[in-house]
Amino acid sequence: MARDLAQVVIAPAERWVEEAAARIAGGLEASVVARGWASIALAGGETPRPVYQRLAAMTLPWNKIDVFFGDERAVPPDHRDSNYHMAAESLLDPAGVPLARRHRMPADAADRTSAAAEYAEQLPERLDLLVLGVGRDGHTASLFPGSRAVRETWHRVVPSESPVAPTLRMTITPPVIAAARARLVLARGRDKAAAVSRALEGADDPEQCPVQLARSGVWLLDADAARGLVGTAA
Ligand code: 6PG
């Protein structure tokens, strides 16, 4: 069962943001100590925003940390739907992350296929830390259930399409998730409970539940997102 692989951490609601930020900071610091450098790929959506805001207040060697993205929407970097825009507002700008360390995923490029291939060349062979969210349908990054992207085994970054707007996307693929040295899945709130429960305790079916690709990672949940898990008090 997928849950056997996951390290499930259930944090009290009032500690969830702090716990998430501390885990990201700790992972990055450990990588810089171990290898003199660190690489992270950020999740988009809204869940990580307060975590990134808390992370921005922590002291980290950002000149030694390359910041990538797990996925992006096909919108300009200053668009309200842009994952880069959310990260820049909440983390990159307030933390003073050097522009040279920021690697925006160019989902708004005219030729998304070529742009995806170029971005894949920038990605390290193994990300030190991959931060992922959970969609209510079990998607993660912009790997949606039943999509061609979730079946990709060769290209590391590809164009993708979302069933909900913004539809045109770009995303890392399963090989990048598998190769990451550490995976941190962030989910909170009752609306994620079904997807979390299915991902960790349902049948193994990453094509229909793409966030299962991160099952051998740390899943940081609040009690609401964990409510569907067996043995978790409702
Ligand atoms: C995106 C994200 C996506 C996100 C989930 C959850 O571009 O939308 O990368 O994978 O993590 O959709 O989104 P929320 O955190 O907003 O619920």
Side-chain angles (χ1 to χ4, degrees):
M1 181 186 297
R3 179 165 181 184
D4 300 344
L5 301 166
Q7 182 188 341
V8 177
V9 177
I10 301 172
E14 67 278 7
R15 291 279 310 151
W16 185 88
V17 169
E18 185 68 29
E19 182 70 26
R23 283 177 178 271
I24 294 171
L28 291 173
E29 283 167 342
S31 296
V32 171
V33 166
R35 285 181 293 280
W37 208 261
S39 57
I40 183 173
L42 298 178
E46 281 308 312
T47 300
R49 188 189 293 269
V51 177
Y52 298 163
Q53 288 167 336
R54 179 68 188 92
L55 193 60
M58 296 179 169
T59 302
L60 280 166
W62 289 109
N63 60 326
K64 296 179 179 176
I65 299 169
D66 276 306
V67 181
F68 297 90
F69 290 80
D71 70 321
E72 185 55 276
R73 294 84 177 274
V75 297
D78 58 355
H79 192 283
R80 70 178 184 285
D81 287 340
S82 161
N83 288 335
Y84 178 85
H85 179 63
M86 184 274 281
E89 262 190 339
S90 57
L91 173 60
L92 306 180
D93 293 347
V97 175
L99 291 178
R101 300 274 74 76
R102 306 182 189 190
H103 306 276
R104 181 180 82 90
M105 188 179 271
D108 56 336
D111 179 344
R112 284 190 299 143
T113 301
S114 298
E118 287 168 22
Y119 194 78
E121 290 301 311
Q122 292 180 42
L123 276 177
E125 188 178 335
R126 299 188 69 192
L127 287 161
D128 289 311
L129 178 57
L130 173 57
V131 182
L132 292 169
V134 181
R136 294 172 63 179
D137 61 354
H139 82 261
T140 195
S142 281
L143 298 170
F144 293 91
S147 65
R148 186 163 49 85
V150 78
R151 295 193 299 272
E152 178 61 51
T153 57
W154 176 250
H155 298 291
R156 300 201 301 151
V157 181
V158 294
S160 75
E161 296 200 7
S162 162
V164 295
T167 52
L168 298 182
R169 310 273 184 110
M170 190 177 286
T171 186
I172 57 171
T173 60
V176 174
I177 298 177
R181 289 192 171 90
R183 285 160 289 275
L184 175 62
V185 179
L186 300 178
R188 65 172 176 170
R190 295 180 74 141
D191 66 332
K192 301 297 176 72
V196 166
S197 170
R198 179 183 177 194
L200 295 181
E201 298 185 333
D204 284 2
D205 187 359
E207 193 171 322
Q208 292 306 320
C209 186
V211 73
Q212 280 189 339
L213 293 164
R215 54 197 160 197
S216 59
V218 173
W219 287 54
L220 181 60
L221 312 172
D222 68 355
D224 284 340
R227 63 187 292 111
L229 296 178
V230 171
T232 305

